[in-house]
Every structure is written in C-alpha cells, then in structure tokens.
Amino acid sequence: QVQLVESGGGLVQPGGSLRLSCAASGRVFSINVMGWYRQAPGKEREVVATVTSGGSTYYADSVKGRFTISRDNAKNTVYLQMNSLKPEDTAVYYCNANARVMGPGGWGPPYNYWGQGTQVTVSS
C-alpha cells in the first residue's frame, strides 16, 4: 500500500499564504497522478488541483491564479502553494495519489490513495 502524509495546514488571515505538502511512502510504487481535494462541512469533496507525472496540471476555477500545484517525482511529494487565501478556501484538504504497487505478481492495478487531511482555516 501507499501512505500519504500531509502537512502545512493551519490558520491564516485573508490574503495570506500557505504551502501544503504531501509525501508518499510505502513499498515499491509508481504514482501517475497526484492532487489536492478539499471538503468543507456540509459540502461535497471537490477537486482543487491535480498534476500528472508528465507535469500536466488542472485547477478548479475557484483557485485559478491563486494556487499552484507542483510535484517532485524523485521525492514522491506534491505541494500546493496557496496565495491570496479567502475565507471560502476554509476546508479540510486531502492529498490524493493514483498509484500502482509492485507485488509478487508484478504491478498491481491503479488505485486511489488518500491522505488523512489537513485543516486550512482562513479567517480574520
């Protein structure tokens, strides 16, 4: 299996910045896509940004121009730089990785792994 550990969440004032990190660890694995999702109380989980192993990125309209996703393939780590934060960005942010794990029979099928989530609160 693959474990995802998130860090960098916290309390920040509107207009401030935070950088989230997510490191993947485990047995031999290969990650195709990593991304960040968020969920506010009473709302559905939504995609924030994703990045493929080739560097292609996607951003939700609500964060375009403010957030930047990046990936260090060598370290199996994905980052989310969040600038110009707004109160509506308040949510639990979850790291996601679509990965295959090497087992005795070879590569397993792609599977979505999730981190435990990190709280981001934007408030004055």
Side-chain angles (χ1 to χ4, degrees):
Q1 67 272 29
V2 178
Q3 289 82 36
L4 303 177
V5 179
E6 300 138 319
S7 63
L11 175 65
V12 66
Q13 295 185 0
S17 299
L18 285 173
R19 186 163 109 135
L20 306 183
S21 299
C22 174
S25 63
R27 302 176 70 90
V28 177
F29 58 88
S30 178
I31 300 176
N32 298 314
V33 184
M34 298 189 77
W36 291 94
Y37 295 71
R38 67 186 182 186
Q39 186 169 24
K43 296 184 178 180
E44 297 182 355
R45 182 160 58 183
E46 62 179 358
V47 62
V48 177
T50 63
V51 59
T52 69
S53 60
S56 298
T57 58
Y58 165 84
Y59 295 94
D61 289 341
S62 59
V63 306
K64 286 181 179 178
R66 300 187 298 119
F67 291 8
T68 302
I69 190 170
S70 60
R71 176 175 177 175
D72 187 335
N73 291 328
K75 296 182 178 180
N76 292 310
T77 301
V78 65
Y79 307 92
L80 185 68
Q81 179 66 46
M82 304 185 294
N83 299 324
S84 302
L85 283 162
K86 305 175 180 179
E88 51 262 44
D89 295 319
T90 297
V92 177
Y93 284 69
Y94 296 91
C95 179
N96 169 267
N98 184 262
R100 304 177 71 183
V101 177
M102 178 66 76
W107 287 110
Y111 186 83
N112 279 321
Y113 298 88
W114 294 92
Q116 80 286 351
T118 184
Q119 177 70 47
V120 172
T121 302
V122 184
S123 177
S124 59

